[in-house]
Amino acid sequence: MKLTKTLMASTALTVAAGAVVAEDMAMEMTLVSWGGAYQASQHKAYVEPYLAANPGVTVTWDESSGEAVAKLRAMDEAGNVTWDLVDVVASDSMRLCDEGLAEELAHDDVLASAPDGTSASDDFGDLIVSDCFVPQIVYSTTFGYRTDLVGDTAPTEICAIFDLEAYPGKRALQKRPIDNMEWALYCDGVEKDAIYDTLGTPEGVDRALAKLDTIKDQVVWWTAGAETPQLLADGEVVMGSTFNGRLFSAIAEQNQPIGMLWDMQSFDLDGWIVPANLPADRKARVMDFLKFATDTQRLADQAKYISYGPARASSAPLVGKHEELGIDMAPHMPTDPANAGNVHVYDYEWWADNRDDLDAKFQAWLAK
Amino acid sequence: MSNSEPMLAADGTPLKRSLARALRREKMRALMLIAPLLLFILLTFILPVADMLYRSVDNKIVSEILPRTVVALQDWDADSGELPDEAVFAAMAADLQQAAQEKTHTKVGVRLNYEQPGISSLFRKSGRKAKKWNVEEGGPWKEQLIEVHKGWGDPEVWRTIQTYSPRVTQGYYLNAVDMQVGTNGAEMRPENEQIYGILFWRTMKMSLIITLSCIALGYPVAWLLANLPARHANLLMILVLLPFWTSLLVRTSAWKIMLQQQGVINDVLVWIGFVADDSRLVMINNQFGTIVAMTHILLPFMILPMYSVMQTIPPSYLRAAKSLGATNWTAFWRVYFPQSIPGIGAGSILVFILAIGYYITPALVGGTTGTFISNRIAFHISSSLNWGLAAALGAILLAVVLILYWAYDKIVGIDNVKLG
């Protein structure tokens, strides 16, 4: 009952708002996302209901989020930004905000409040990592392992990736310093709270790389999220990191013999940014859509199609079952209490400062 | 009639002028005809390349966003080990406030962060506060700035700002050859940050190996194509072209399936007992994988020019050589091969230059030891947004290719290259 009421209320609201200023709003929108199952979940959860409530509006998808920062900068320099709303990871949103390529938003004014009246900025809480960022989902980079290749004792904690004796075989790791350096230090005995302080010193970097050195010749480095599930399915690696949604679909949809290792999963965020300096009519349309697409119900709906946690606190209780598989989605969310016992919280500001420097060191280490 | 009288055309104008006008009209017409192409190349190729090259030295962002600070910092001695005086801090406060209002403070922070980690958040955090400052009356700024962020109390930060004040910089080029601006001018980076030298060298070496493998594999195929009866040659030609029409990603992924440890080749080798099940060969995610996949992908670029040159070599020359007593090998080596060199030259240049700039295949099958410099360029363009460094790396790559081209011209002669 409550669900339908919220749905009807918000739809009525949108229709009413649409009626007032309809003539000032562009009728076309270009949304940018990652393609694949994730974009499909956005289309079903946000776009289809929005289009139903706003007949005449057309939406075009552009699957360019992977190179969104570079493309947006190029568009901005050419003075011809063709995108209206761009889905990016949190660190990219900070970068776009720093470069002046994304619009700074007053979250409480432009976003819907929670059904109980909590303001948007309280509902999203700390997840608003940049003034330009509207969070959608919480995902995590975590490990999956082949249940049939790890022997009798399945790994339950992260440091299994550095334990070649108990779990021989190759591992898949992402080809970037982020996460890997933190896991290495953690497994080398650094306290969780001290990881970034340690990594900030040259000795800390050396220590992390030395730890990674112990497994270097057993690592397959991936660059695309789809690689790890494939490597696991082929038996090329016994364990590997990737985005939790990819592992979910390998396990639940493709029935692969893969288990989840949630320990020290690295939380990350994905969300929208509005390109800076859009024309007034396009901006009006996109802000209207943004308010609708990031309300409590819409974010909860998205979890029906993909195992990523909604970014609003008020959406969590509304998460239901998978649309097609009919399984309960909550236990597959990275934010589920059973999975989130020991998590690694990624420090965006720290990485924004140190990414270029550490990346050079990491790549030099890789090349040796 | 005296000699000084100019010859006149039918309409009374001097013939010379009339001729020049007619020729000019001809030239104009020719120019008009190629104008669309010229304009197209200028707009879509030459200007963007020039713009990209300029970015490799462009550094006006610092002096544009921090104009007062740059002037005030000029006389500060970075080696004194002391912080700049109050005037510099006041200038920075004024610049920061203006930049924060124009939302450009983070841009300059990102730029300087390439040179010293930490400056990005220094500017981001200070900019937030700067909007509320009263620049005219507030102060003293030294204490106030250091209170906002302790980074302002670090002389190294000021040194970096001073070093990167000029409107042009050699910093990107230095970075691109593993160097940096140190206290005593340019110096090598610490060894654990040196990467571009390794990658340039590896790119050259592997491109050469790929080119040589293409010659070795392509030459016999091109010879067959040129010498088989048309019926068989056409079938063979389709076999050469078919992979050429297949998506690059599909071909690269196919090699993954073939070469991986649980892949087709390893499975066959284990099955026939050539290798043990627990010591399967590692053939992918290394240099070997990159060489195999790229040789396969670039092979048509070698075969086609070779084929079109070989087709023009009359088979009667070989028969003539043999009838004069040459062995098969002598006939081939002394008569046929020299005539096919222009095809090898054309194919080699094509393959080598394509290989140097390749990045998709090395990224997918290269692992850590098989990636190229182009992978780093792509990273800096699309991910780290350090376009200045990407431009410098690209410019160096361009220069290397031009030098090799020049050397090739000196040694082999570019007139010796034929595409058919």
Side-chain angles (χ1 to χ4, degrees), chain A residues 44 245-256 303-307 320-329 332:
Chain A
K44 285 181 187 145
R246 298 277 186 181
L247 290 169
F248 170 78
S249 65
I251 297 167
E253 291 166 12
Q254 295 157 25
N255 294 315
Q256 295 287 345
K304 276 193 244 169
Y305 308 101
I306 199 147
S307 65
K321 289 186 188 316
H322 191 279
E323 183 74 2
E324 282 151 29
L325 302 172
I327 50 175
D328 222 358
M329 288 304 277
H332 297 282

Side-chain angles (χ1 to χ4, degrees), chain B residues 173-377:
Chain B
Y173 277 102
L174 287 178
N175 194 349
V177 293
D178 292 328
M179 296 173 84
Q180 62 190 6
V181 184
T183 40
N184 306 315
E187 59 184 31
M188 289 308 282
R189 279 176 185 268
E191 196 166 350
N192 69 349
E193 287 175 38
Q194 292 181 14
I195 167 131
Y196 299 114
I198 299 174
L199 285 179
F200 272 119
W201 172 239
R202 181 193 290 165
T203 306
M204 293 302 139
K205 195 180 69 184
M206 289 184 56
S207 297
L208 196 66
I209 296 174
I210 290 162
T211 310
L212 293 176
S213 330
C214 279
I215 295 175
L217 291 175
Y219 198 89
V221 177
W223 189 84
L224 275 179
L225 273 174
N227 291 292
L228 279 181
R231 199 156 47 90
H232 300 292
N234 284 342
L235 187 70
L236 199 58
M237 191 64 158
I238 289 174
L239 291 181
V240 170
L241 288 177
L242 210 56
F244 197 46
W245 296 329
T246 316
S247 157
L248 176 73
L249 282 172
V250 172
R251 281 183 286 166
T252 308
S253 309
W255 276 114
K256 269 193 150 167
I257 296 166
M258 295 286 286
L259 295 175
Q260 64 186 8
Q261 282 193 289
Q262 308 294 325
V264 178
I265 293 178
N266 262 313
D267 280 348
V268 170
L269 290 178
V270 168
W271 181 66
I272 60 175
F274 194 73
V275 295
D277 197 16
D278 54 355
S279 59
R280 288 169 174 248
L281 305 177
V282 181
M283 295 184 289
I284 202 144
N285 298 322
N286 54 19
Q287 300 200 352
F288 182 80
T290 307
I291 290 170
V292 169
M294 281 186 61
T295 301
H296 171 235
I297 284 161
L298 294 174
L299 202 50
F301 293 100
M302 183 64 85
I303 294 178
L304 294 177
M306 277 185 181
Y307 162 69
S308 61
V309 167
M310 286 181 185
Q311 245 192 343
T312 62
I313 305 173
S316 52
Y317 287 9
L318 269 185
R319 288 202 295 273
K322 281 187 211 163
S323 75
L324 291 169
T327 60
N328 279 344
W329 170 251
T330 314
F332 167 76
W333 186 245
R334 307 256 321 257
V335 176
Y336 193 88
F337 184 75
Q339 295 185 80
S340 65
I341 282 179
I344 300 179
S348 301
I349 287 188
L350 267 178
V351 169
F352 187 78
I353 289 177
L354 282 172
I356 269 184
Y358 241 59
Y359 71 95
I360 299 174
T361 306
L364 288 175
V365 300
T368 57
T369 55
T371 45
F372 284 13
I373 190 70
S374 38
N375 295 104
R376 285 275 88 194
I377 297 178

Side-chain angles (χ1 to χ4, degrees), chain B residues 339-416:
Chain B
Q339 295 185 80
S340 65
I341 282 179
I344 300 179
S348 301
I349 287 188
L350 267 178
V351 169
F352 187 78
I353 289 177
L354 282 172
I356 269 184
Y358 241 59
Y359 71 95
I360 299 174
T361 306
L364 288 175
V365 300
T368 57
T369 55
T371 45
F372 284 13
I373 190 70
S374 38
N375 295 104
R376 285 275 88 194
I377 297 178
F379 170 79
H380 285 305
I381 288 280
S382 66
S383 190
S384 82
L385 277 199
N386 191 349
W387 286 7
L389 180 55
L393 291 168
I396 292 176
L397 195 58
L398 181 65
V400 168
V401 171
L402 289 178
I403 290 170
L404 287 175
Y405 183 80
W406 175 81
Y408 184 90
D409 186 32
K410 283 281 159 208
I411 298 164
V412 183
I414 210 68
D415 302 337
N416 249 334

